Amino acid sequence: MTETSNSTSWPARAVVTAGMPYGNKALHFGHVGGVFVPADCFARFLRDRIGAENVRFVSGTDCYGSPINEGYRKLVEAGDFTGTISDYVQMNHDRQKATLDAYDVSLDIYEGSGIGHAGEVHQEITDLFVRALYDNGYLHRQETLQFYDAQAQTFLNGRQVQGHCPVQGCKSEKAYADECDLGHQYAPVDLINPISTITGTVPEMRPVHNWYFDLPEFIDYLRRWVASEEADPTVRRVVTDTVREFLAPPIIFVKQEAWDDYLAVKDDLPEHSFRPAGKGKQSFEIEFADIAARDEARSVLARAGIRFRTGKTLVPFRITGNIEWGVAAVDLEGSENLTVWCWPESLWAPISFTIAVNDALGLPRDEWHRWWCDDDAEVYQFIGQDNIYFYGVAQPAIWAAVQPDNERHLPPVGHDLRSTQLVANHHLLFGNKKASSSGSVKPPSADELLNYYTVEQLRAHWLALGLDQKPAGFKPKPFDPDPNVRTDSRVADPVLKEGALLTKVFNRLARSCLYEAKNHFDGCIPLGEVTPSVRDQGIATLSRYDELMHQVELHSIMSLMDEFIRFANKYWSDGIRRAENEEDAGLRRQVLLDSTYLLRIATLLMHPVVPQGCEKICDYLDFDAHEFFSWNYDFESLDELCSAGEIEQGSHPVRPLPPRTDFFAAHPSQFKR
C-alpha cells in the first residue's frame, strides 16, 4: 500500500530527530511528552509505512554549553560531585537514556555530541561545517565584549550572567549573556541589569575575539524560504510566524518620555526612519538600514543615557566561544583554543548521529548524503517552540551557506542539504504554567510519573493534547497543588482519559476476539471475505490516518482511533449478541472474522502510539510482526497475512490467551484510588 486513495506520498528514506537535551539534568515530563514521544510515534509510523531499514531516528545528549558548565560548577562547589565535567555529563546522559528507554522511545542512537563514536564523528563534521562557512566567505572574526567578573577574576559563560531581556515586548526576567529563556538573541552589552551568578556583583565588559556567521546576509534567502514554507500545508503556522518575526528590519524602541533626549542626539544617529508610538504603545520606533547602523545608533543612545530596547531582527550568529568545555574549533587565521558554541554545532549534530548509525551498520561514510541530500529523502525535526529561531532561522541559512555555489565549491560538505521539515510543538504546560526545571514551577520528572501511570497511558495522553495547535496543560491528579483534589475520589484524573480507551475498550476488543477463537473455533480465527461495509470502514480509516500523519496531526490521530476502536468494539458486541440470540453459527463466524479484521487495523494504527500492547496482540494473534505492522498490503482481508495452507483450510491458529489477560493494564497505584 504505497499510496492511499488520497494520494498521500512518503519519502523513500527519512531521518527523524528530536532535539538534544542538555547534559546537566534528568528529563522532565516536557522533554519526553512534548518532543520525544511525538517524535517516537512518528518514527514508529514511518518504520511501518516505508520500512524500518529506511528510517533513522536519532538524538543524543547536548554535552556542551554554559548550562552544563554552571551546573557542574555548583555541584562541585557544594561538595555534591567529585568527578570531572565529562563524568558529570556521562552521568546525566545515562539517566536520560534510561528514561527514554522506559518510555519506549525507540531511538536508533542516543549517544551525545561528546560521547562515544558519535562524539568522534561530531568533531569531524563540526570541522567540516566551520571550514565550509569560512571558505565560502560567511565567517567573520569580530571583537565583542564579554562579561568579566572582576571579583572572581574570570570571564563569565552565558549562564553565569542573568538579567532582563532587552528585546522589545519580551517580559523574560531570566535572560542570560546573549539569549533569554524564551530564545531571543541579542548583544551582551544590551542585557538589562546584568548580575554575575558567581559573586552577585555587576560584571564588567571586556573584549574577546570570536567567529560569527553572517546571518543578516541571508535575509532575502530566508524570506523566500519562509514563503515556500507558508505555502506547504504540512508546516505549522507557529514555525513560519516565529521565523517572520526575525526578518524585520533593525529597529530600536525608545520610551516616549525620552523624546526630548532623542531630539538632542537625532542628528548624531545614522540615517533612520522614525515611527511614532502606536495606539496603546509606550515607545516610538527608529528603524535602520542594517545592523551596523543600528549598532552605531546604540552607542550614541547609550552615551546620551537614553534607555532603549531592540527589536527582533537578524544579527550575526556566533559560531565560536571562549570556554574550554566544548567541541574544539578548527584553527582559522591563528585563532587558537576556541571552542564551537553549542547551538550551531547542535544544528548539524543529527548528521553526526546519522553517520554514527550508518557506521555501526557497516555502510560507507558518504551514505549520509542519501538521507540528508537526496530528493527522495526527508528530515523531520521535532522541536519545542522556543527553539524555532535556531532551527528555522539559523539552520536554513547555514545550510545554504555551505552549498557549492558556482565560484565557491566546497568538498566534501558541498552537497545540496535538504531543508529539514520542522515539527514544532507549543509548550507542554504543568497545570496552566510553563514549567522549567530551573524555574519557580518545578515539574515532576519523567521518572516520577511512572510511579503513578503506565507508559502507555502517558504516551496516549500526551499525543492527544494537540500541542501542534496551542500550548496545553498537563494536569496529573497525584501532583495537583490542592491536596483536597489529590485525595478526592470523585475528581477524575485528566491523564487517564485516553488510558480508558486502552484499558477498557481496546482491551475488550482484543480479548473478545481471542477468547472467542479459543472457546468456539478450536483456537483459530476464521478466514474469508470481510463484510464489505466493514472492509470499507477499515480502508477509509487507514486512508484518513495516513493523511493526518502526513500533517503530523497526532491529536487528530488519537481522535480518529478513539472513534474507530469504539466502532470496532460495538460491532463485535452487537454482532455476537445477535448471533447468540439467533443461534446462527454462520453469523457468529462472520462476526469474529470481521472483528478480527478490525482488530488488525486498530492494532496496526495504534502501534506507533502504544507499541508494547499492540505487539502483544500481534504475538497472540500469531502473525509475523514484520508483516503484521506493515502497510504494504491491500487490507482486503486477513488472508493476505496467512499461508496458502491456512487459506485453503479457511482458518488461522492463534495462541491460547490465558484468563484475565490484559494487553493494556492500569497502573497498580490506580487500584488504590
Side-chain angles (χ1 to χ4, degrees):
M1 188 176 183
T2 55
E3 291 193 357
T4 56
S5 57
N6 58 26
S7 298
T8 299
S9 60
W10 293 96
R13 286 170 305 286
V15 175
V16 180
T17 183
M20 298 172 66
Y22 276 128
N24 65 330
K25 65 186 73 173
L27 301 180
H28 64 67
F29 76 87
H31 293 122
V32 179
V35 178
F36 275 101
V37 165
D40 181 68
C41 176
F42 191 70
R44 286 179 180 273
F45 163 75
L46 285 176
R47 291 187 186 117
D48 293 344
R49 189 69 175 86
I50 66 175
E53 70 281 4
N54 298 315
V55 179
R56 299 285 186 267
F57 182 21
V58 302
S59 184
T61 300
D62 192 342
C63 298
Y64 304 109
S66 54
I68 296 166
N69 292 66
E70 186 65 358
Y72 173 69
R73 181 189 67 81
K74 288 179 178 178
L75 278 185
V76 170
E77 287 186 359
D80 295 331
F81 194 81
T82 58
T84 65
I85 191 169
S86 180
D87 296 333
Y88 171 69
V89 171
Q90 185 69 53
M91 175 188 71
N92 289 315
H93 165 79
D94 292 342
R95 294 167 66 192
Q96 292 173 0
K97 188 174 187 306
T99 299
L100 294 172
D101 289 343
Y103 276 88
D104 290 333
V105 177
S106 58
L107 287 152
D108 292 304
I109 187 173
Y110 192 77
E111 286 190 358
S113 51
I115 294 174
H117 178 59
E120 298 170 359
V121 173
H122 189 54
Q123 179 68 67
E124 298 174 26
I125 296 303
T126 297
D127 290 348
L128 290 175
F129 265 88
V130 174
R131 176 64 70 179
L133 293 171
Y134 178 79
D135 287 349
N136 279 3
Y138 295 117
L139 280 194
H140 298 101
R141 191 181 182 191
Q142 294 183 17
E143 179 183 277
T144 58
L145 297 175
Q146 183 170 335
F147 289 108
Y148 182 84
D149 189 320
Q151 182 174 319
Q153 295 186 349
T154 184
F155 280 104
L156 301 174
N157 66 48
R159 291 296 174 108
Q160 290 173 337
V161 182
Q162 285 195 15
H164 296 178
C165 181
V167 173
Q168 176 69 12
C170 181
K171 294 181 170 43
S172 173
E173 296 183 2
K174 195 155 194 177
Y176 307 108
D178 55 5
E179 174 193 359
C180 78
D181 62 346
L182 297 179
H184 298 143
Q185 301 285 297
Y186 43 81
V189 294
D190 290 339
L191 181 65
I192 298 172
N193 298 330
I195 295 293
S196 167
T197 62
I198 296 179
T199 63
T201 60
V202 177
E204 301 175 1
M205 299 298 292
R206 295 192 178 183
V208 294
H209 287 87
N210 273 296
W211 290 95
Y212 285 77
F213 169 55
D214 214 346
L215 183 58
E217 283 289 312
F218 287 82
I219 188 166
D220 290 335
Y221 170 81
L222 288 170
R223 284 171 177 159
R224 294 192 302 272
W225 180 82
V226 77
S228 69
E229 295 294 287
E230 287 170 333
D232 185 343
T234 67
V235 178
R236 296 174 179 175
R237 283 291 303 273
V238 66
V239 172
T240 52
D241 288 351
T242 302
V243 171
R244 281 216 174 271
E245 291 177 2
F246 290 95
L247 303 184
I251 295 174
I252 288 177
F253 297 83
V254 180
K255 286 283 186 72
Q256 191 65 39
E257 61 198 42
W259 171 251
D260 290 337
D261 295 328
Y262 159 72
L263 290 178
V265 298
K266 177 176 178 291
D267 293 339
D268 297 328
L269 295 172
E271 184 176 348
H272 61 276
S273 301
F274 166 82
R275 281 192 293 274
K279 185 177 181 180
K281 302 291 185 180
Q282 297 180 343
S283 301
F284 59 86
E285 303 175 13
I286 46 179
E287 179 182 316
F288 300 89
D290 53 39
I291 287 294
R294 190 200 71 171
D295 289 348
E296 183 182 341
R298 231 173 35 191
S299 299
V300 173
L301 295 172
R303 286 195 301 270
I306 300 173
R307 292 191 61 181
F308 59 88
R309 284 186 178 245
T310 54
K312 296 179 185 177
T313 191
L314 297 185
V315 298
F317 188 65
R318 183 160 60 91
I319 296 296
T320 64
N322 306 90
I323 61 175
E324 182 179 350
W325 178 246
V327 178
V330 63
D331 181 6
L332 300 174
E333 299 180 9
S335 299
E336 298 178 349
N337 301 320
L338 295 179
T339 53
V340 178
W341 184 36
C342 65
W343 261 115
E345 48 97 354
S346 70
L347 299 179
W348 53 73
I351 296 176
S352 305
F353 295 144
T354 304
I355 293 172
V357 172
N358 289 344
D359 284 351
L361 295 172
L363 298 173
R365 176 52 66 92
D366 62 359
E367 173 76 7
W368 72 271
H369 302 155
R370 299 182 64 236
W371 300 81
W372 284 85
C373 306
D374 285 5
D375 290 341
D376 59 355
E378 190 70 71
V379 178
Y380 301 91
Q381 194 119 28
F382 283 73
I383 58 173
Q385 68 180 97
D386 286 352
N387 294 334
I388 292 173
Y389 170 80
F390 298 102
Y391 292 100
V393 177
Q395 188 193 70
I398 289 174
W399 264 219
V402 299
Q403 308 302 343
D405 183 14
N406 296 329
E407 300 174 1
R408 297 168 176 160
H409 179 65
L410 174 70
V413 179
H415 295 268
D416 292 327
L417 284 167
R418 291 179 58 80
S419 294
T420 58
Q421 181 167 328
L422 300 183
V423 186
N425 277 342
H426 290 268
H427 294 303
L428 179 55
L429 307 175
F430 183 42
N432 296 315
K433 297 181 179 179
K434 183 183 177 184
S436 168
S437 53
S438 59
S440 58
V441 181
K442 301 296 183 185
S445 72
D447 294 336
E448 283 180 279
L449 291 172
L450 296 180
N451 294 325
Y452 302 93
Y453 304 99
T454 68
V455 167
E456 296 191 318
Q457 287 172 335
L458 289 166
R459 286 175 64 104
H461 179 65
W462 285 329
L463 292 171
L465 287 177
L467 295 173
D468 61 314
Q469 303 289 316
K470 62 186 185 308
F474 177 55
K475 303 174 181 178
K477 184 179 174 183
F479 295 89
D480 194 288
D482 186 342
N484 294 322
V485 171
R486 292 198 300 268
T487 57
D488 191 341
S489 60
R490 296 169 299 177
V491 177
D493 189 336
V495 178
L496 296 179
K497 180 181 178 222
E498 293 76 22
L501 177 71
L502 303 174
T503 59
K504 296 178 181 178
V505 190
F506 198 6
N507 226 15
R508 187 183 305 127
L509 175 64
R511 285 162 46 142
S512 297
C513 290
L514 286 159
Y515 285 142
E516 177 71 8
K518 176 182 177 182
N519 296 332
H520 294 93
F521 290 89
D522 296 324
C524 294
I525 295 293
L527 301 178
E529 184 177 345
V530 177
T531 299
S533 61
V534 171
R535 184 195 62 229
D536 292 347
Q537 182 73 23
I539 291 177
T541 301
L542 281 160
S543 180
R544 179 60 178 153
Y545 182 105
D546 196 58
E547 178 184 350
L548 290 172
M549 196 60 89
H550 198 259
Q551 304 283 342
V552 202
E553 291 187 14
L554 302 182
H555 71 289
S556 298
I557 290 288
M558 294 302 298
S559 297
L560 176 70
M561 293 314 300
D562 184 281
E563 179 182 342
F564 181 74
I565 291 170
R566 292 184 189 281
F567 162 79
N569 190 66
K570 187 175 188 303
Y571 183 88
W572 159 260
S573 299
D574 292 349
I576 200 65
R577 186 183 304 115
R578 188 170 74 253
E580 288 178 343
N581 289 341
E582 297 175 8
E583 298 182 351
D584 187 332
L587 177 58
R588 186 174 203 126
R589 181 183 187 280
Q590 189 64 42
V591 168
L592 178 57
L593 186 158
D594 290 345
S595 298
T596 309
Y597 169 83
L598 293 172
L599 175 63
R600 176 216 179 170
I601 301 295
T603 306
L604 168 67
L605 299 186
M606 287 296 284
H607 184 229
V609 179
V610 282
Q612 283 191 27
C614 291
E615 287 166 11
K616 187 174 180 180
I617 292 172
C618 172
D619 188 38
Y620 274 97
L621 287 174
D622 206 18
F623 286 118
D624 176 83
H626 179 75
E627 298 298 324
F628 187 85
F629 294 113
S630 171
W631 284 64
N632 291 324
Y633 289 97
D634 293 327
F635 296 101
E636 293 290 328
S637 70
L638 292 172
D639 295 25
E640 57 194 1
L641 291 172
C642 299
S643 67
E646 290 174 339
I647 294 171
E648 185 176 349
Q649 290 180 349
S651 63
H652 166 73
V654 297
R655 292 179 56 201
L657 185 67
R660 296 181 296 278
T661 298
D662 282 325
F663 295 97
F664 306 96
H667 192 277
S669 70
Q670 292 161 14
F671 295 112
K672 302 173 186 177
R673 298 181 193 176

